[in-house]
Short mmCIF file of all heavy atoms in Angstrom, two decimals:
data_model
loop_
_atom_site.label_atom_id
_atom_site.label_comp_id
_atom_site.label_asym_id
_atom_site.label_seq_id
_atom_site.Cartn_x
_atom_site.Cartn_y
_atom_site.Cartn_z
N THR N 25 82.55 2.58 71.20
CA THR N 25 81.26 3.26 70.80
C THR N 25 81.61 4.61 70.17
O THR N 25 82.77 5.14 70.30
CB THR N 25 80.41 3.45 71.99
OG1 THR N 25 81.10 4.31 72.99
CG2 THR N 25 80.08 2.16 72.69
N GLU N 26 80.67 5.16 69.48
CA GLU N 26 80.89 6.47 68.83
C GLU N 26 79.65 7.34 69.14
O GLU N 26 78.50 6.86 69.16
CB GLU N 26 81.02 6.38 67.34
CG GLU N 26 81.25 7.70 66.66
CD GLU N 26 81.39 7.57 65.21
OE1 GLU N 26 81.10 6.52 64.58
OE2 GLU N 26 81.74 8.56 64.52
N GLY N 27 79.87 8.62 69.38
CA GLY N 27 78.80 9.58 69.58
C GLY N 27 78.53 9.98 71.06
O GLY N 27 79.10 9.33 71.97
N THR N 28 77.74 11.01 71.14
CA THR N 28 77.47 11.53 72.58
C THR N 28 76.22 10.86 73.18
O THR N 28 75.97 10.82 74.36
CB THR N 28 77.21 13.04 72.47
OG1 THR N 28 76.10 13.29 71.65
CG2 THR N 28 78.43 13.74 71.83
N GLY N 29 75.31 10.44 72.28
CA GLY N 29 74.03 9.85 72.73
C GLY N 29 73.11 10.92 73.38
O GLY N 29 72.20 10.62 74.17
N ARG N 30 73.22 12.20 72.98
CA ARG N 30 72.45 13.25 73.54
C ARG N 30 70.98 13.08 73.41
O ARG N 30 70.19 13.56 74.16
CB ARG N 30 72.93 14.62 73.08
CG ARG N 30 72.46 14.91 71.59
CD ARG N 30 72.69 16.34 71.23
NE ARG N 30 72.21 16.68 69.94
CZ ARG N 30 70.87 17.05 69.70
NH1 ARG N 30 70.05 17.07 70.70
NH2 ARG N 30 70.45 17.28 68.45
N LEU N 31 70.52 12.36 72.30
CA LEU N 31 69.07 12.21 72.04
C LEU N 31 68.54 11.05 72.92
O LEU N 31 67.25 10.92 72.94
CB LEU N 31 68.91 11.80 70.60
CG LEU N 31 69.24 12.92 69.57
CD1 LEU N 31 69.13 12.41 68.14
CD2 LEU N 31 68.37 14.09 69.81
N GLY N 32 69.36 10.27 73.58
CA GLY N 32 68.95 9.14 74.33
C GLY N 32 68.71 7.88 73.39
O GLY N 32 67.98 7.01 73.88
N VAL N 33 69.14 7.99 72.22
CA VAL N 33 69.00 6.88 71.26
C VAL N 33 70.26 6.18 70.97
O VAL N 33 71.28 6.83 70.57
CB VAL N 33 68.32 7.41 69.98
CG1 VAL N 33 68.21 6.23 68.96
CG2 VAL N 33 67.04 8.14 70.25
N HIS N 34 70.31 4.93 71.18
CA HIS N 34 71.40 4.12 70.76
C HIS N 34 71.15 3.45 69.43
O HIS N 34 70.01 3.00 69.20
CB HIS N 34 71.67 2.92 71.81
CG HIS N 34 72.29 3.38 73.09
ND1 HIS N 34 73.13 2.63 73.78
CD2 HIS N 34 72.08 4.51 73.81
CE1 HIS N 34 73.53 3.22 74.88
NE2 HIS N 34 72.82 4.43 74.97
N ILE N 35 72.10 3.44 68.48
CA ILE N 35 71.98 2.70 67.25
C ILE N 35 72.92 1.47 67.32
O ILE N 35 74.13 1.61 67.51
CB ILE N 35 72.37 3.61 66.02
CG1 ILE N 35 71.38 4.78 65.93
CG2 ILE N 35 72.31 2.80 64.77
CD1 ILE N 35 71.72 5.67 64.79
N VAL N 36 72.34 0.27 67.29
CA VAL N 36 73.09 -0.92 67.53
C VAL N 36 73.04 -1.84 66.31
O VAL N 36 71.91 -2.20 65.92
CB VAL N 36 72.57 -1.68 68.84
CG1 VAL N 36 73.39 -2.90 69.02
CG2 VAL N 36 72.65 -0.75 70.02
N GLY N 37 74.15 -2.21 65.75
CA GLY N 37 74.27 -3.06 64.61
C GLY N 37 74.66 -4.42 64.99
O GLY N 37 74.52 -4.91 66.19
N GLU N 38 75.25 -5.16 64.05
CA GLU N 38 75.55 -6.64 64.28
C GLU N 38 76.95 -6.80 64.80
O GLU N 38 77.19 -7.16 65.93
CB GLU N 38 75.32 -7.40 63.02
CG GLU N 38 75.56 -8.93 63.14
CD GLU N 38 75.30 -9.69 61.88
OE1 GLU N 38 74.11 -9.72 61.42
OE2 GLU N 38 76.27 -10.19 61.27
N ALA N 39 77.90 -6.59 63.90
CA ALA N 39 79.34 -6.79 64.27
C ALA N 39 80.18 -5.85 63.38
O ALA N 39 79.70 -5.25 62.46
CB ALA N 39 79.71 -8.26 63.97
N ALA N 40 81.44 -5.78 63.72
CA ALA N 40 82.39 -4.91 63.01
C ALA N 40 82.69 -5.48 61.71
O ALA N 40 82.73 -6.75 61.49
CB ALA N 40 83.66 -4.71 63.82
N GLY N 41 82.91 -4.68 60.69
CA GLY N 41 83.42 -5.08 59.36
C GLY N 41 84.92 -4.76 59.25
O GLY N 41 85.46 -4.31 60.24
N LYS N 42 85.46 -4.85 58.08
CA LYS N 42 86.88 -4.59 57.87
C LYS N 42 87.28 -3.23 58.26
O LYS N 42 88.20 -3.00 58.99
CB LYS N 42 87.31 -4.92 56.44
CG LYS N 42 88.71 -4.68 56.09
CD LYS N 42 89.03 -4.97 54.65
CE LYS N 42 90.54 -4.72 54.41
NZ LYS N 42 90.88 -4.94 52.99
N ASN N 43 86.51 -2.25 57.72
CA ASN N 43 86.90 -0.79 58.01
C ASN N 43 86.69 -0.42 59.42
O ASN N 43 87.45 0.33 60.08
CB ASN N 43 86.00 0.10 57.12
CG ASN N 43 86.28 -0.13 55.66
OD1 ASN N 43 87.35 0.12 55.16
ND2 ASN N 43 85.25 -0.61 54.92
N GLU N 44 85.60 -1.04 60.05
CA GLU N 44 85.33 -0.79 61.51
C GLU N 44 86.48 -1.34 62.35
O GLU N 44 86.91 -0.70 63.33
CB GLU N 44 83.96 -1.39 61.88
CG GLU N 44 82.80 -0.70 61.26
CD GLU N 44 82.58 -0.83 59.80
OE1 GLU N 44 83.05 -1.91 59.30
OE2 GLU N 44 81.98 0.00 59.15
N ALA N 45 86.91 -2.56 62.00
CA ALA N 45 87.94 -3.20 62.79
C ALA N 45 89.27 -2.33 62.68
O ALA N 45 90.00 -2.25 63.71
CB ALA N 45 88.22 -4.63 62.28
N VAL N 46 89.61 -1.78 61.52
CA VAL N 46 90.78 -1.02 61.37
C VAL N 46 90.73 0.31 62.14
O VAL N 46 91.67 0.65 62.83
CB VAL N 46 91.02 -0.77 59.86
CG1 VAL N 46 92.16 0.34 59.63
CG2 VAL N 46 91.37 -2.01 59.12
N ASP N 47 89.62 1.02 62.01
CA ASP N 47 89.37 2.24 62.72
C ASP N 47 89.11 2.13 64.23
O ASP N 47 89.22 3.11 64.96
CB ASP N 47 88.34 3.11 62.06
CG ASP N 47 88.78 3.63 60.69
OD1 ASP N 47 89.91 3.34 60.28
OD2 ASP N 47 87.95 4.31 60.06
N GLY N 48 88.59 0.95 64.58
CA GLY N 48 88.12 0.75 66.00
C GLY N 48 86.86 1.48 66.41
O GLY N 48 86.55 1.76 67.53
N LEU N 49 86.01 1.84 65.29
CA LEU N 49 84.82 2.50 65.52
C LEU N 49 83.75 1.88 64.58
O LEU N 49 84.07 1.41 63.47
CB LEU N 49 84.93 3.95 65.18
CG LEU N 49 85.75 4.85 66.21
CD1 LEU N 49 86.01 6.16 65.61
CD2 LEU N 49 85.01 4.92 67.52
N PRO N 50 82.46 1.93 64.93
CA PRO N 50 81.33 1.32 64.16
C PRO N 50 80.90 2.10 63.01
O PRO N 50 81.01 3.30 62.99
CB PRO N 50 80.25 1.07 65.22
CG PRO N 50 80.43 2.27 66.12
CD PRO N 50 81.90 2.53 66.28
N PHE N 51 80.32 1.41 61.99
CA PHE N 51 79.66 2.05 60.84
C PHE N 51 80.42 3.22 60.23
O PHE N 51 79.97 4.35 60.27
CB PHE N 51 78.26 2.45 61.22
CG PHE N 51 77.25 1.35 61.47
CD1 PHE N 51 76.90 0.97 62.67
CD2 PHE N 51 76.74 0.65 60.35
CE1 PHE N 51 76.00 -0.03 62.87
CE2 PHE N 51 75.84 -0.33 60.58
CZ PHE N 51 75.43 -0.67 61.78
N ARG N 52 81.63 2.89 59.76
CA ARG N 52 82.47 3.99 59.18
C ARG N 52 81.72 4.72 58.09
O ARG N 52 81.19 4.09 57.17
CB ARG N 52 83.81 3.46 58.63
CG ARG N 52 84.69 2.79 59.67
CD ARG N 52 85.23 3.81 60.66
NE ARG N 52 84.23 4.28 61.58
CZ ARG N 52 84.19 5.53 62.08
NH1 ARG N 52 85.00 6.43 61.71
NH2 ARG N 52 83.24 5.85 63.01
N PRO N 53 81.70 6.07 58.11
CA PRO N 53 80.96 6.77 57.10
C PRO N 53 81.48 6.74 55.69
O PRO N 53 80.75 7.08 54.79
CB PRO N 53 81.06 8.26 57.64
CG PRO N 53 82.26 8.26 58.49
CD PRO N 53 82.29 6.94 59.16
N TYR N 54 82.69 6.25 55.54
CA TYR N 54 83.17 5.95 54.18
C TYR N 54 82.99 4.65 53.60
O TYR N 54 83.27 4.29 52.50
CB TYR N 54 84.72 6.33 54.17
CG TYR N 54 85.56 5.53 55.02
CD1 TYR N 54 86.05 4.26 54.63
CD2 TYR N 54 85.92 5.94 56.29
CE1 TYR N 54 86.81 3.54 55.41
CE2 TYR N 54 86.77 5.17 57.13
CZ TYR N 54 87.17 3.93 56.66
OH TYR N 54 87.88 3.15 57.50
N ALA N 55 82.57 3.77 54.55
CA ALA N 55 82.28 2.31 54.13
C ALA N 55 80.82 2.15 53.62
O ALA N 55 80.06 3.12 53.70
CB ALA N 55 82.48 1.41 55.35
N GLN N 56 80.58 1.02 52.99
CA GLN N 56 79.28 0.85 52.34
C GLN N 56 78.09 1.03 53.29
O GLN N 56 77.18 1.83 53.02
CB GLN N 56 79.30 -0.46 51.61
CG GLN N 56 78.12 -0.62 50.56
CD GLN N 56 78.23 -1.92 49.78
OE1 GLN N 56 78.49 -2.96 50.39
NE2 GLN N 56 77.92 -1.81 48.51
N ALA N 57 78.02 0.22 54.26
CA ALA N 57 76.92 0.23 55.28
C ALA N 57 76.91 1.56 56.06
O ALA N 57 75.85 2.24 56.31
CB ALA N 57 76.95 -0.90 56.19
N GLY N 58 78.11 1.97 56.51
CA GLY N 58 78.20 3.22 57.32
C GLY N 58 77.78 4.47 56.53
O GLY N 58 77.23 5.36 57.11
N SER N 59 78.05 4.43 55.23
CA SER N 59 77.72 5.62 54.47
C SER N 59 76.17 5.79 54.28
O SER N 59 75.60 6.83 54.30
CB SER N 59 78.29 5.57 53.06
OG SER N 59 77.87 4.48 52.30
N ILE N 60 75.51 4.62 54.19
CA ILE N 60 74.04 4.60 54.13
C ILE N 60 73.42 5.09 55.41
O ILE N 60 72.45 5.89 55.40
CB ILE N 60 73.49 3.19 53.72
CG1 ILE N 60 73.90 2.86 52.22
CG2 ILE N 60 72.02 3.11 53.89
CD1 ILE N 60 73.45 1.48 51.83
#
Side-chain angles (χ1 to χ4, degrees):
T25 61
E26 181 183 11
T28 64
R30 73 168 186 86
L31 295 173
V33 178
H34 288 214
I35 298 179
V36 181
E38 182 179 292
K42 179 180 179 180
N43 297 294
E44 288 72 26
V46 170
D47 287 2
L49 290 169
F51 288 104
R52 296 294 72 216
Y54 61 84
Q56 194 173 43
S59 64
I60 290 177

